[in-house]
Amino acid sequence: MKAAVYYSNSDIRTEDVEDLPVGPGEIKVKIMACGVCGSDVMEWYRIKRAGRPGGIGAFGHECTGTVAEVGSRVNPRWKVGDRVVVTHHVPCNTCNACIRGHTTACEILQKTKFKNAFGAFAEYVVLPEINVDRGILPLPDSVSFDSGTFVEPLGCVVRGQQWAPASDGRSVLIIGAGITGLLHMQVARLNGAGFIAVSDMNPDRLQLAQKFGADETILATEDVPWKFKELNDGVGADTVIMTAPAPVCVKQSLEAVGPGGTILFFAPTNPEIQSEMNLWNLWQKEVTITHSYAADFHNLSTALKWIHYNRINVTDMVTHVLPLKDTVEGFLLTAHPRNGSLKVIIHPQE
Ligand SMILES: [Zn+2]
Ligand SMILES: [Zn+2]
């Protein structure tokens, strides 16, 4: 079968890779659509495994397709031809992290992946038995394969706001108007936020933020915390959500949060980066600092329902749909946005 094999963000080749057999308990999925994620294009992280399968992490994971083959012993609810959303990461459900509700901090979840380790920028993936058990959602007929690719990124956003609520009229500052920032903004509205402002370096992205429902936008060349307070009756944000992984954004988050507020560091900075904080300020403001990683099955199922019932506009976020051989173009459009690029989806069967 054909798969896109990663060498660098500007060198991704379509190669013939091993078409794995379907073992007992396993399911083979024909991939119809796979979104390019911000984590796919984190070159410093991915280049270590360039050209090699195995341990490549979550390369090509926002995927939908149809069941192509069902192994022995599989629950008879799954049939060839079923439309599905599948997740590469599934928890053990028994470790301390899982028992305490942090299933995405589970070591098993972070190690699980598709059996064919090149990921879902490929014609097929084989789901290991544990993924078949707890990592497949039926995709309703009315949800397109493209829209279904948002289940994973939206699920991550749903999870983030579980730890950093935007409910009860809270004021929200979202730093970064990329795909996750725009999803966070829509989810904040749905969760009952009050005033929502979005900041970004790119004026085109701010226009998009306005289109998707931001109350105000702030150009990131301005003093973002100061500007937010000015727009929010002199008060800092009840909830700050950082989706842009730059040190300056960490600083802005710490300065923009208001008394009793919560900061969600949703995007990680590069592992070498240390960030300073002024504990005195945080102490006096009773600030909560939190993080979230990935999405659990509950978050994914919430995301799918919101897409199914049009609570979140994902269709207008798709700007480019490309065949497998143009995966490299999709990566470049994601890593260095141009021509209005926002969400890029790869169709491995084309
Ligand atoms: Zn993703
Ligand atoms: Zn666990």
Side-chain angles (χ1 to χ4, degrees), residues 2-33:
K2 296 212 180 314
V5 179
Y6 187 90
Y7 293 87
S8 75
N9 280 355
S10 52
D11 183 10
I12 298 169
R13 306 173 200 166
T14 310
E15 294 180 5
D16 281 309
V17 302
E18 196 188 0
D19 200 359
L20 294 174
V22 179
E26 297 176 346
I27 280 180
K28 185 181 203 174
V29 177
K30 182 178 181 182
I31 300 297
M32 301 305 290

Side-chain angles (χ1 to χ4, degrees), residues 35-40 58 61-62 88 149 152-153 156 343:
V36 180
C37 175
S39 70
D40 286 320
H61 57 274
E62 301 177 354
H88 57 306
T149 65
E152 196 270 348
C156 297
K343 188 65 181 181

